[in-house]
Amino acid sequence: MATTKTGPTGAQARASHGAPAAATVRPRPARYGFVLLGGVQMTLIFTLASLAVPLPRIGAEFRLERPELILLSAAYGLSFAGLLLLGGRLADRHGGRRVLTAGLLVFGAASAFALLTPGYGTLLAARFGQGVGAALVAPAAMAVLRSLFPEPAAYGRTMATWGGLSVLGATAGNLLSGAIAAATSWRGTFAVPVVVTLAALLLAPRLLPATPPGSGRSIDLPGALLATAGITFASYGLVLTDAHPWGSAPVLLPLLAGLALLVAFGLLERRATDPLLPPDFLRDDRRILGLAGIGLTAAGTATVFVLLSLSFQQGRGWDELRTSAAFVPFAAALLGSGRLAGPLIGRYGPGRVTAAGLGTAAAGLGLLAATGFDTAVPYAYGLLPGLLLLPAGGALSFAGSAVLATDGVPAHRAGLAGGVLNTAMELGPTVVFAALLTLGGDAVSLTAAAVLFVALAGFTIRVR
């Protein structure tokens, strides 16, 4: 079904320019559709982070070594990131809601399989399957979102809210997974995506418009194969740097193979008649900075979650529930800052808000690097200030970066934009986290991350 609405007058547009998406007057189906799509997007990122806290319990049950745990944790992200570009083009070609439904079916089935899995091998396969479904859902959701909010101003305000949903989903994954694992078992974390998927499949026909198929030519299958294989191999090589040195064969072979495939993908796209990733799509400086902001913010947040979760459990001797509870202020600061992002972007512009968010997050990272890993320092003043500043800045950075990355994207490329945006979100933690871990201790890693945040803030504020 199609959603119709009349455009606002000039005065109305000016009055609503600084309002967050939820406060803007628009048809009920559009608001409800946004809530549905936002819940799905949060669940995709929740699933990415949901094994971080209960991973030691899984290892004990299946008697897994560290490399096996690393692969289990990374499997979802590997298939997710590797197939996002293809998922985006499929959404543009075959219609957002149709691809969204197909992705939800795959994602839900894989989640149900993980919930009942009897062993490590089947759990690993289920995690890969979840990533395949998520790679279809994430860009398709943005394509449907573009149909719900066709006016550029409304779409921009919506993206300011959308940008904060992913980091909120990651926070929820770390908070709820520990609580669920403590109350039931680690298998209970897979019940969340199953329930959300069933609800989305039931509500999507009622709340989401039936987006028509695109008029483009056939999908660039050679480009899709090269991009998927290149991203997957390179990401896998980076993931293994946690267990093997950079110069070892297990790291170098997949990493070099992935880089070679990505170079071949770039050369192919220049000559393709209907490329998977049109070269002109990345020629906008603001889009590049927006994608960099998304990737770096996701990387910084993921690094803090992983390092602090290990420090809490191994250094301070906290259990899963207390570890999750320690991040409650993080979630509160994230929600509060996210509500301010839309009005601030409307008033100051996405570039300045992104730069301010990166600077604030850098301060939080610096504080956590200075005191966060000293087990003798109390939580209240050794960890809490950093756990408030980092999410406050991260929410602003995500929101502003999402607007920068999607501004001016035509409707027929909304799926492509969603694929590229989510690829940056997935690859950022993989690439940056692997690089940070090679620098030395945990405090050094967070200090280096803070420096990267400040440097990107400087570049971003110079772009209009």
Side-chain angles (χ1 to χ4, degrees):
M1 63 180 180
T3 301
T4 59
K5 61 179 178 178
T6 58
T9 65
Q12 290 171 330
R14 289 190 295 272
S16 64
H17 183 66
T24 304
V25 177
R26 55 175 59 98
R28 289 168 62 90
R31 292 199 302 270
Y32 293 164
F34 175 81
V35 171
L36 174 61
L37 293 173
V40 168
Q41 175 69 11
M42 287 179 58
T43 303
L44 298 183
I45 308 303
F46 167 93
T47 304
L48 182 68
S50 62
L51 290 189
V53 175
L55 199 60
R57 183 181 291 197
I58 298 174
E61 180 173 331
F62 292 139
R63 299 180 181 179
L64 304 178
E65 300 294 333
R66 184 177 177 86
E68 294 171 312
L69 287 175
I70 292 172
L71 181 58
L72 182 62
S73 178
Y76 175 78
L78 288 175
S79 54
F80 192 177
L83 291 167
L84 272 168
L85 290 179
L86 176 60
R89 295 303 275 171
L90 287 173
D92 289 336
R93 181 68 183 87
H94 298 289
R97 201 178 81 178
R98 182 180 300 177
V99 175
L100 177 73
T101 301
L104 285 172
L105 289 171
V106 175
F107 180 71
S111 300
F113 187 60
L115 180 64
L116 304 172
T117 184
Y120 170 72
T122 51
L123 179 59
L124 183 64
R127 288 287 284 176
F128 275 112
Q130 284 182 312
V132 172
L136 297 175
V137 171
M142 284 191 61
V144 177
L145 193 69
R146 189 69 175 84
S147 298
L148 280 172
F149 302 91
E151 297 175 3
Y155 182 65
R157 290 192 296 270
T158 302
M159 287 309 302
T161 303
W162 187 264
L165 294 178
S166 296
V167 68
L168 185 59
T171 304
N174 284 273
L175 285 175
L176 296 180
S177 63
I180 293 172
T184 58
S185 75
W186 59 265
R187 296 177 186 274
T189 61
F190 291 102
V192 175
V194 172
V195 172
V196 173
T197 298
L198 291 174
L201 288 171
L202 289 173
L203 294 174
R206 302 179 182 181
L207 301 180
L208 303 180
T211 49
S215 58
R217 290 177 286 272
S218 60
I219 298 295
D220 177 20
L221 288 179
L225 291 174
L226 286 174
T228 300
I231 292 173
T232 302
F233 275 111
S235 299
Y236 179 65
L238 290 170
V239 166
L240 290 181
T241 58
D242 186 73
H244 302 279
W246 278 85
S248 63
V251 172
L252 282 180
L253 289 178
L255 183 59
L256 292 177
L259 292 175
L261 290 168
L262 290 175
V263 170
F265 168 71
L267 295 175
L268 178 67
E269 295 302 276
R270 290 185 177 184
R271 302 174 184 175
T273 56
D274 192 13
L276 187 73
L277 178 60
D280 66 300
F281 187 80
L282 297 178
R283 287 176 185 163
D284 189 316
D285 290 342
R286 295 196 310 161
R287 186 162 296 133
I288 292 294
L289 287 173
L291 294 173
I294 288 170
L296 185 58
T297 305
T301 304
T303 301
V304 166
F305 274 134
V306 172
L307 296 183
L308 286 185
S309 293
L310 291 174
S311 176
F312 291 160
Q313 295 183 68
Q314 298 175 355
R316 296 177 181 255
W318 294 358
D319 59 16
E320 295 164 326
L321 186 59
R322 190 175 181 184
T323 297
S324 294
F327 288 103
V328 170
F330 187 105
L334 186 69
L335 287 170
S337 182
R339 291 182 65 86
L340 296 174
L344 290 174
I345 290 172
R347 183 171 183 178
Y348 298 107
R352 291 181 178 179
V353 172
T354 300
L358 289 168
T360 304
L365 287 168
L367 288 174
L368 290 173
T371 61
F373 301 100
D374 186 350
T375 57
V377 176
Y379 172 86
Y381 62 83
L383 286 164
L384 188 57
L387 288 175
L388 293 175
L389 284 175
L390 174 60
L396 296 179
S397 174
F398 255 108
S401 296
V403 175
L404 287 174
T406 57
D407 187 36
V409 175
H412 69 276
R413 283 186 170 180
L416 171 64
V420 173
L421 187 149
N422 281 278
T423 299
M425 194 184 307
E426 294 302 314
L427 289 182
T430 302
V431 176
V432 177
F433 184 47
L436 291 175
L437 289 181
T438 63
L439 299 178
D442 296 342
V444 175
S445 298
L446 293 193
T447 302
V451 172
L452 291 177
F453 273 59
V454 172
L456 185 58
F459 283 113
T460 303
I461 202 168
R462 296 170 63 91
V463 176
R464 293 187 177 182

